[in-house]
Amino acid sequence: MDVRLPVNIANDYLNNSQKIRIITENWVNNSIFCPNCGNDLTNFENNRPVADFYCKRCSEEYELKSKNGKLGKKIVDGAYNTMIERLNCNNNPNFFFLTYNKQTLDINDFITVPKYFFIDEIIEKRKPLSENAKRAGWIGCNIIINNIPEFGKIFYIKNGKVQNRDRVLENWEKTTFIKNTNNVESKGWLLDTLKCIEQINKNEFYLEELYSFEKKLQRKYPLNNNIQAKLRQQLQILRDKSILEFIGRGRYRLKNRGEQNG
């Protein structure tokens, strides 16, 4: 896999944003496989409003977002209302995030995030455009990358280094149980628990350390009167799905999730 974007294919274009779109889409089409099944990807027709690529084998769809520099805390997206509607539709695509160096056109990171990690709270509503703007009153949105658990960010390229293909497929497969979570609140609890575990920032942790997030979670779920029991329930789910291992005496260990180091 080449970690440099093919600049020459856009020589006939003058607009910089159009150049980047052509270059990045060409690179994805020639370099990236479907993380769900490993098949090659196909471009959708131009100007399709929902997605950029699809897989002919498994029918998964993907939207590409590219950014100069680092991924950062947020990615600019399109219309807010359209995004919120898409979160609840069957054709909501998975996402690819590509970051690159503007001077060298080297790729810094290439990440995929499965669509079932996208819930309302990761979408930030921007201020309406001013009355003097061409699209006065239009409201855009940002994707808050920091609100997505690291578990849901699957790297093909990390810090310029290509990751192992089998690990990409394995790491995607390990997230798929979230897709089958019954409702929005249940999914929210799973994702919040994953984020809390990640914030503990240790491979092994104690139940008491997870309980330290109780007040924060109580504010988010004011109708739940037993946050600790709910957290234990989420730990059991993560344990059943082989994400965690229960060591004993209130201690848990994160299982090796396909180290993404090539």
Side-chain angles (χ1 to χ4, degrees):
M1 183 184 296
D2 194 350
V3 295
R4 179 167 292 176
L5 294 171
V7 62
N8 293 334
I9 67 164
N11 286 342
D12 294 335
Y13 294 87
L14 298 177
N15 182 279
N16 285 332
S17 61
Q18 193 174 32
K19 279 186 175 184
I20 287 297
R21 180 182 62 80
I22 294 295
I23 290 169
T24 54
E25 287 187 2
N26 177 274
W27 180 85
V28 170
N29 195 50
N30 289 303
S31 304
I32 297 302
F33 54 89
C34 174
N36 184 59
C37 72
N39 195 42
D40 291 339
L41 295 176
T42 302
N43 276 101
F44 273 117
E45 65 274 15
N46 290 335
N47 301 317
R48 182 180 170 88
V50 175
D52 300 306
F53 302 92
Y54 69 101
C55 176
K56 290 183 178 179
R57 179 188 291 168
C58 70
S59 301
E60 288 288 346
E61 300 182 6
Y62 302 88
E63 181 174 339
L64 173 65
K65 295 292 179 183
S66 301
K67 180 180 180 182
N68 174 42
K70 297 295 184 181
L71 191 61
K73 296 180 179 180
K74 60 181 71 175
I75 292 281
V76 175
D77 200 64
Y80 174 78
N81 288 337
T82 302
M83 172 58 86
I84 295 301
E85 288 173 5
R86 281 170 51 189
L87 293 184
N88 300 308
C89 292
N90 292 331
N91 67 339
N92 185 34
N94 307 283
F95 272 85
F96 288 142
F97 296 111
L98 186 157
T99 64
Y100 61 93
N101 182 307
K102 187 177 181 180
Q103 280 68 46
T104 65
L105 288 181
D106 289 331
I107 297 170
N108 298 322
D109 296 309
F110 188 85
I111 304 166
T112 185
V113 177
K115 58 188 175 186
Y116 34 87
F117 282 87
F118 281 74
I119 55 179
D120 289 7
E121 67 184 67
I122 74 166
I123 307 302
E124 178 184 64
K125 191 175 186 179
R126 300 206 304 268
K127 293 181 179 179
L129 295 182
S130 71
E131 59 183 18
N132 298 321
K134 187 175 181 180
R135 293 188 292 171
W138 183 84
I139 301 173
C141 69
N142 298 315
I143 299 172
I144 309 300
I145 299 296
N146 279 8
N147 286 349
I148 301 172
E150 294 302 311
F151 181 73
K153 301 171 187 175
I154 300 165
F155 284 83
Y156 286 73
I157 298 174
K158 187 172 186 179
N159 297 324
K161 186 177 181 181
V162 177
Q163 308 301 293
N164 181 279
R165 176 189 175 94
D166 290 341
R167 292 299 192 188
V168 173
L169 295 170
E170 178 186 347
N171 287 338
W172 176 281
E173 174 63 26
K174 286 187 176 182
T175 71
T176 55
F177 72 94
I178 294 174
K179 174 173 58 177
N180 300 319
T181 304
N182 293 330
N183 56 56
V184 173
E185 183 172 334
S186 297
K187 182 188 291 186
W189 267 105
L190 266 176
L191 298 183
D192 283 331
T193 303
L194 282 167
K195 285 188 287 185
C196 290
I197 291 170
E198 289 172 358
Q199 288 174 40
I200 294 172
N201 199 29
K202 291 192 294 187
N203 191 51
E204 294 184 9
F205 64 94
Y206 285 92
L207 185 58
E208 290 299 323
E209 292 178 283
L210 191 59
Y211 285 166
S212 68
F213 296 93
E214 182 175 3
K215 289 183 179 179
K216 177 182 177 181
L217 293 169
Q218 186 69 72
R219 289 192 295 270
K220 184 172 181 180
Y221 301 99
L223 299 181
N224 190 302
N225 296 317
N226 199 337
I227 299 296
Q228 292 189 6
K230 194 68 175 180
L231 284 171
R232 291 194 300 272
Q233 180 189 61
Q234 305 314 301
L235 290 176
Q236 183 62 52
I237 294 172
L238 294 173
R239 179 181 168 185
D240 291 345
K241 300 300 180 181
S242 298
I243 308 303
L244 293 177
E245 177 184 1
F246 179 63
I247 302 173
R249 297 187 177 182
R251 190 156 60 109
Y252 292 82
R253 177 188 294 129
L254 282 165
K255 286 195 172 182
N256 180 17
R257 182 181 171 262
E259 290 297 330
Q260 300 191 35
N261 54 6

